[in-house]
Amino acid sequence: MTQELDHATRVLAEVAATGGGEAAVAVRRTANALTRFANSVIHQNVADETTTVLLTLHAQGRTASGSTTLTTPDGLAALVARTRAAAALCPPDATWPGLAPPTPLTGSAPCDEATAGAEPAVRAAQVRAFVDAAGGLSTAGYCRTTAHVGAFANSAGQAVTGAVSEAGIDGIARLGGADAVARDAAVRVADLDGAVLGARAAGKVRALGDPVDLPPGDYEVVLEAGAVADILENFGAHGFNGKTFAERRSFAELGAAQFDPAVTMVADVAEGGLPFDSEGTPRGRLALVDAGTTAGVAHDRRSAAEVGAAANGYAVAGSSWGPFPLYLGLEPGPAGGAGPAHPAVDPAAAALVAGVARGLLVTDFWYTRILDTRSLVITGLTRNGVWLIEDGQVVRPVTNLRFTQAYPRALAPGNVRAVGGTPTRVPREWLGGWMNSPALHLAHWHFTGGAAG
Amino acid sequence: MTEFEVAEAAVQGALDAGARYADARVMHRRHEAMHARNGEVEQLHQSEDSGVGVRALVGSSWGFFAVPEPTTAGARAAGRRAAAIAAAGAAVAGPPTDLTPGTPAVASWASACEVDPLEVPLSTKGDLLVGVTAAMRRAGADLATALYEVWDTAKWFVSSEGHRIDQRIRECGAAMSATAIGEGETQIRSYPGARGDFRTAGWEFVDALDLPAHADRVAAEARALLTAPACPAGETTLILGGEQLALQIHESVGHAIELDRILGWEAAFAGTSWLDLAKLGNLRYGSPLMNITIDPTIPGALGSFGFDDEGTAAAARYAVREGVWTGVLAGRDSAAAAGLDYAGSVRADGWARLPMVRMTNVGLEPGPHTLDEIIAATDDGVLMETNRSWSIDDRRLNFQFGCEVGYEIRNGRRGRLLRNPTYTGIGPVFWGSMDMLSSETVPYGTPNCGKGQPGQIGHTGHPAAPARFRNVRVGVSG
C-alpha cells in the first residue's frame, strides 16, 4: 500500500468510526520544481512538495467536501470532523450522484523516476542549453519537472493508485522589441532538448525584423502548435465541459457534424495525468470530436447524472468550474510534403505553409477570453511572431493583431484546409501537463484590429 | 515550537547553507466556498493548508522551497534546500541580486473584522445563496448561481535581517448571476460584479451587499438582454460604470506598473510593459483627471495588509499624478535593480509560492462629478456596466473589454438596453480621453489575479468610480 492510499484508508476508517456515510477520499502528493530565467539569467528557482487530502462526505442526505495538507492523524481526524459538521448544516442534496463503484483502471501514462526526482542542476542544464543556443540574444522562460502520486478510496470499495511525471521547457528569445517562442513537454526531462528549442526561438525572432501592419479582416491562417493549444484549451474549458453542457451553455450537440471531417479531438490517459479523477472514476480515451462529429463531453458524476450519461473521469476536486478534458489533443493529419525551410516556420507547420496562397502564419494566441459560452466567441491577440505568407512562402513579418472569432466556426465543416502531421506537446501554464497540438491550416480567421490601435 | 521558531529555523538553515539573505513565512490558511445553483446548494468546500516557504538569495538567483507541516528540523532542512536550489542558478548566472534597504520590523497586524465569516452558521450562509438563486429563477433566469468565499490567513514572517512579523488577514465576498439562454447565445447579469465583490473584512461586508434586493432586477435584465439591440459599432463617447473601470485600472494600469514586468522578469509569460523606466516622472499616462494611487492601507480593501510578504510596511504612494506616471509596484530586489528606494508590493499565494510583485490596492482617486451628471452632460454615447470579458496584450497597451450590459445615451438621458457591448483601445490614448470622473468611489475587490510561474492567484483592490471617455471604438464583434 502506498503512503497516499494509507492516508485515504485512514480517513475512511475515521468516517466509519464517527458516524458513517458515503465517503470518497482523494490524496495527491505533488512535487513541483521550476527553474525560471529572464534576461538570460536564472532568477527564480523554486520547488515545493505538498500532499493534499480531499474528503467528500454524503451523510444523512447532505453533502460537503473538505481538504487539508495536514496528514498527521490529528490533521486527518480534524478533516473528517470538520467535513461532517459542515455536511450536517447543509441543505439536503437532492442530486447526489452516489459514489464511483469499484472499477479497474483502463490505462495509465508512464512515470519517469529520474524526472520525478530531478535536481535543480538538471533543469539548470536545460536552461543553459537554451540560452547558449540563442546565440547571445536575450532569453526568458522556464524548465519544470513535476511528479504526481495519487490514491483514491471510497466507502463503496473503489481503491486505485497512480503516479505520473512531466517535464516542460517554454522559452522566448528577444530581439529589437520582438519575442519568439519555442516549447516542448515530455514524460521524461531527458527527452527535452533545450538547445533545439533555444535555436528555434532565436531563428524565429531574427525573422521578425521590420514587421508591417496589416488591415483587419478575414485571413487564411496557418496556426502553429501554441495557437492550436489555445483553441484546444478553450474548447476544453467551455465547450466540452460537462457542466456547461448540462446547463445548455455549451455549443456542443452530440451526434451533430459541427466540425470539419478533418477534426478528431481526443483526451487520452495514455498521454499523461493520473488514470483516475478525484471521484475515483477511471480515465481512459475520450473522443470529443470524431471525424467532425461531436462525440462526447467530459463528465464528473454529477454532470453525467444530470444528462443521463456515464461519468468518464474528469471530476475536478473542490472546484465548481465543472469537469473538463485533460491532455487534450487533435489527431494529426497525414504527413505533408516539404514546406519552406524558413526560420519563421516550425518544421511541424512547414507543409501547411506551402499550401497557402495568401495568409498569415501565427505562432501563439494570447490572453484569449470568452465573450459568450454558447457561441464560444473569443477575443485575443497574436503573440510571439506573425508572418505574411504568399504563394506558399513566408514573405515578411507582421505586427500583432487582435481577433474576435467564434472558435466552433473556425473548425466548422469546410474551414479546415489541413491538419499538420506532427503534433507538438505544448506545456500548459496553469494546470500542468500539455496539449497535443498539430498545426492547423484554416480558410478564415477574423482579425478585428492591429494591436497598436 | 512556535511558528516564529519554525520560520527562524528555516532562515538559519538557508544561511548555514550559504545564502547571504533568507526569509521564511509560516502560513496557516482556511478557505471556505459555497456555490448554489437554481435554488440548491451545489457545493460546499472547506480547505485548510499549513506550511513554511523559505526564500534564499545566492548570487543572482532566488531559491525557494516549501514544505507542509514543518517541524524546526524540517524547516531547517527546507532552508538548506532553498539555498541549494538557489545555488544551482549559478549555471546561468548574472550580476548578484541586491535588495533595497529595508527596516527590520517587529510587529503584529490584523485586518478589521466585525463578524468572523467562518463563525457565521453554514445554514445562514446556505439560506442566503439558496434564497437568491431561487428568486432569480422565479424572476426569469434560466440559470441562477450564487457563491461566497472566505479566506482566513495567519502568517509569521522572519528574515535574516531581523524582521519578525505576524499578521492575520480575513477576507470574504459574494457573487450572484442570472443567465438567460437564447438560441445562439447567452446573456448574463451579475451583482455586485462579474466576479462578485470582496473585501478584507468580515461577514458584515456580505450582509451589506444585500444580495436578495438585487435578485429580481438581474434576472429581468438578463432576459431583456436576449432581445435587446446589439451595441452599434463605431467611435463614440463611452461612460463606464465603476466596476468595469476597476478592471480597466487593474489591466491597463496595475499590471503595467509592476516593476518586475518593466524589468523583463515576466517577459516569457505574463509579459512586459509599455512603460520605460527612463520616463518615470515625465511620461503622460492619461488626462489630468487621472490620479492613481498604490495604497495597501485602505481599511477593508481587498489589497490591504500591514506588511507585504517581504516585511515592508504598507504605505501609500502615487502611481499616476494628474495624468503623469510617477510610481511603480516594486519589491526589494526589483527596486534595487531599478535604482528606486521603495518596495512594499510583494506577496505570495500561500506558503508554497515564491513572493513576487503584486498589486495591492491600485485605484483612481475620486473626481468632481456624479454618474447622473456625467450622463446629463452626454449628448450621444454608450454607458457600459459590469465586466463580461477582458483581454489585453503582453505590453498592457491594446485592450478589448466586453460588458454585460450597455445603455444608449441620448441628449443627456439613459435610453435603450444594448446587448453585447464591447470597447477597445490603447491604454494611454484611452486614459488621455477621460474628461469626466465621478466622486462615487467604491474599492472593488478582484480575487482572481493570475501571474507567475508556477501560477499564483492574487487578491487586489481597485477603488474606482464611473467615468467618461471620448472617441472610443465600441461594438467590436466576431
Side-chain angles (χ1 to χ4, degrees):
Chain A
M1 179 182 288
T2 65
Q3 187 178 44
E4 290 70 34
L5 189 57
D6 181 58
H7 290 325
T9 55
R10 282 172 186 267
V11 172
L12 286 181
E14 180 73 14
V15 168
T18 56
E22 296 177 69
V25 187
V27 182
R28 179 175 287 208
R29 175 164 57 86
T30 299
N32 282 311
L34 188 146
T35 298
R36 200 170 189 215
F37 59 108
N39 301 321
S40 299
V41 171
I42 292 175
H43 66 314
Q44 296 172 359
N45 209 346
V46 304
D48 67 273
E49 293 177 1
T50 306
T51 297
T52 304
V53 180
L54 171 78
L55 166 65
T56 302
L57 178 64
H58 181 74
Q60 298 180 322
R62 299 158 196 269
T63 309
S65 67
S67 63
T68 187
T69 60
L70 303 172
T71 58
T72 60
D74 286 349
L76 297 179
L79 170 67
V80 173
R82 198 168 59 240
T83 307
R84 183 176 296 288
L89 289 169
C90 273
D93 181 359
T95 59
W96 168 247
L99 296 172
T103 312
L105 300 178
T106 57
S108 64
C111 181
D112 176 47
E113 291 301 325
T115 299
E119 293 293 329
V122 173
R123 293 182 295 278
Q126 291 278 11
V127 172
R128 178 80 265 166
F130 188 103
V131 171
D132 288 347
L137 298 180
S138 181
T139 58
Y142 70 77
C143 174
R144 75 181 182 204
T145 53
T146 306
H148 298 288
V149 179
F152 176 90
N154 66 23
S155 55
Q158 173 72 329
V160 287
T161 61
V164 290
S165 63
E166 180 256 333
I169 297 176
D170 191 328
I172 59 172
R174 317 191 70 201
L175 180 63
D179 300 339
V181 72
R183 45 172 85 93
D184 196 7
V187 169
R188 292 158 32 93
V189 68
D191 290 341
L192 300 176
D193 192 332
V196 167
L197 297 174
R200 185 174 301 154
K204 288 188 78 132
V205 81
R206 289 190 173 105
L208 271 172
D210 200 20
V212 297
D213 295 333
L214 286 185
D218 276 2
Y219 285 85
E220 188 175 346
V221 290
V222 170
L223 306 180
E224 290 194 341
V228 175
D230 176 82
I231 293 177
L232 293 170
E233 191 82 54
N234 278 291
F235 269 114
H238 305 288
F240 295 114
N241 177 317
K243 185 176 180 183
T244 61
F245 178 76
E247 292 173 344
R248 298 190 298 124
R249 291 189 296 127
S250 165
F251 77 94
E253 296 176 32
L254 297 181
Q258 295 182 288
F259 295 85
D260 190 275
V263 175
T264 292
M265 201 181 295
V266 298
D268 194 343
V269 69
E271 267 294 309
L274 290 173
F276 52 89
D277 68 8
S278 61
E279 296 176 335
T281 302
R283 182 181 298 147
R285 185 181 189 278
L286 171 64
L288 303 159
V289 181
D290 186 4
T293 299
T294 302
V297 299
H299 278 303
D300 56 20
R301 294 187 61 76
R302 207 173 276 272
S303 71
E306 198 167 344
V307 300
N312 48 26
Y314 291 94
V316 182
S319 167
S320 65
W321 180 261
F324 54 87
L326 303 172
Y327 290 87
L328 192 54
L330 274 182
E331 292 286 286
H342 190 285
V345 185
D346 188 311
L352 304 191
V353 170
V356 176
R358 186 173 192 275
L360 297 175
L361 172 67
V362 178
T363 306
D364 272 353
F365 290 147
W366 166 246
Y367 219 117
T368 55
R369 290 294 184 273
I370 189 164
L371 275 65
D372 177 52
T373 52
R374 193 161 171 82
S375 54
L376 205 54
V377 174
I378 304 272
T379 187
L381 300 115
T382 61
R383 186 175 176 182
N384 292 325
V386 187
W387 290 267
L388 180 65
I389 306 166
E390 289 180 344
D391 300 325
Q393 299 293 322
V394 170
V395 294
R396 62 172 54 102
V398 174
T399 54
N400 281 316
L401 293 153
R402 175 172 286 286
F403 64 87
T404 304
Q405 169 71 48
Y407 277 18
R409 212 178 298 159
L411 301 190
N415 203 50
V416 180
R417 297 262 166 93
V419 180
T422 308
T424 298
R425 285 171 164 174
V426 178
R428 301 179 76 194
E429 284 297 340
W430 285 96
L431 298 174
W434 57 77
M435 295 289 186
N436 225 1
S437 306
L440 271 176
H441 178 184
L442 305 179
H444 302 281
W445 191 269
H446 189 56
F447 293 99
T448 48
Chain B
M1 176 184 69
T2 67
E3 287 83 0
F4 275 128
E5 288 169 344
V6 170
E8 286 164 356
V11 168
Q12 193 58 51
L15 295 176
D16 291 347
R20 70 174 191 277
Y21 169 87
D23 57 34
R25 280 151 303 280
V26 173
M27 296 179 70
H28 182 82
R29 180 168 59 180
R30 295 172 67 192
H31 174 245
E32 179 180 289
M34 183 185 286
H35 297 255
R37 184 175 67 156
N38 297 342
E40 293 180 355
V41 171
E42 183 182 31
Q43 185 179 68
L44 167 65
H45 185 77
Q46 299 172 320
S47 66
E48 180 174 31
D49 65 84
S50 185
V52 60
V54 55
R55 186 173 73 147
L57 186 56
V58 177
S60 56
S61 176
W62 288 109
F64 179 83
F65 190 66
V67 290
E69 302 178 56
T71 60
T72 50
R76 193 178 299 272
R80 288 195 297 269
R81 184 89 175 266
I85 290 170
V92 193
T97 294
D98 292 325
L99 303 178
T100 202
T103 304
V106 177
S108 183
W109 188 87
S111 60
C113 178
E114 293 176 24
V115 181
D116 186 340
L118 291 176
E119 294 299 321
V120 175
L122 285 166
S123 53
T124 301
K125 292 183 276 196
D127 287 348
L128 172 67
L129 302 190
V130 166
V132 297
T133 55
M136 287 188 286
R137 279 282 277 179
R138 285 195 301 272
D142 293 312
L143 175 66
T145 62
L147 66 88
Y148 74 80
E149 284 194 82
V150 175
W151 297 267
D152 186 342
T153 305
K155 47 189 174 183
W156 296 261
F157 175 76
V158 167
S159 82
S160 57
E161 294 177 346
H163 293 85
R164 191 181 167 97
I165 301 164
D166 67 275
Q167 299 189 81
R168 185 178 182 195
I169 299 176
R170 283 179 278 192
E171 306 155 294
C172 70
M176 57 188 268
S177 67
T179 301
I181 301 174
E183 274 306 302
E185 66 179 27
T186 61
Q187 293 295 340
I188 187 167
R189 285 295 281 137
S190 306
Y191 173 79
R195 286 156 294 278
D197 202 2
F198 294 81
R199 295 287 187 279
T200 298
W203 192 254
E204 67 277 4
F205 172 67
V206 175
D207 282 337
L209 289 175
D210 195 7
L211 299 185
H214 297 267
D216 288 354
R217 176 182 61 81
V218 297
E221 287 178 354
R223 184 134 305 276
L225 279 167
L226 280 180
T227 53
C231 178
E235 217 169 76
T236 191
T237 297
L238 174 66
I239 303 170
L240 292 182
E243 189 260 4
Q244 172 58 33
L245 195 62
L247 193 65
Q248 178 80 49
I249 294 166
H250 177 102
E251 301 293 358
S252 70
V253 182
H255 280 303
I257 61 171
E258 291 168 342
L259 187 52
D260 53 354
R261 295 179 66 115
I262 294 169
L263 293 171
W265 296 1
E266 296 292 319
F269 177 46
T272 58
S273 172
W274 67 278
L275 296 170
D276 177 355
L277 269 181
K279 297 178 181 173
L280 181 63
N282 301 305
L283 182 74
R284 179 147 292 280
Y285 210 121
S287 77
L289 273 177
M290 186 186 189
N291 289 291
I292 298 277
T293 57
I294 300 165
D295 188 358
T297 71
I298 299 171
L302 192 62
S304 293
F305 48 74
F307 297 83
D308 77 351
D309 280 341
E310 55 181 7
T312 303
R317 72 181 60 254
Y318 277 101
V320 178
R321 190 156 202 181
E322 296 181 349
V324 176
W325 177 40
T326 58
V328 297
L329 294 154
R332 294 182 62 194
D333 53 358
S334 54
L340 300 175
D341 62 359
Y342 60 87
S345 298
V346 163
R347 290 193 287 168
D349 177 10
W351 50 269
R353 289 292 176 265
L354 179 74
M356 63 188 307
V357 174
R358 302 293 282 174
M359 281 176 243
T360 60
N361 299 307
V362 177
L364 194 54
E365 288 193 337
H369 307 291
T370 66
L371 176 59
D372 286 346
E373 289 170 355
I374 294 171
I375 291 172
T378 303
D379 292 334
D380 184 8
V382 177
L383 165 64
M384 298 187 192
E385 289 184 339
T386 316
N387 180 259
R388 187 171 182 184
S389 67
W390 64 102
S391 174
I392 190 163
D393 73 5
D394 54 303
R395 296 178 65 217
R396 297 283 151 175
L397 267 177
N398 177 298
F399 59 80
Q400 180 172 314
F401 289 97
C403 292
E404 290 182 356
V405 64
Y407 298 93
E408 202 172 55
I409 303 296
R410 287 278 185 276
N411 301 318
R413 304 177 76 89
R414 187 190 298 223
R416 326 182 271 177
L417 210 61
L418 300 173
R419 79 177 202 280
N420 300 336
T422 59
Y423 67 98
T424 188
I426 300 295
V429 176
F430 178 80
W431 285 108
S433 77
M434 182 171 69
D435 69 346
M436 293 188 82
L437 174 61
S438 161
S439 61
E440 299 147 310
T441 300
V442 173
Y444 296 95
T446 300
N448 64 338
C449 176
K451 187 181 174 186
Q453 293 171 312
Q456 301 193 36
I457 301 297
H459 294 184
T460 63
H462 303 291
R468 188 174 79 171
F469 301 84
R470 295 291 199 177
N471 304 315
V472 180
R473 184 182 170 200
V474 305
V476 183
S477 61

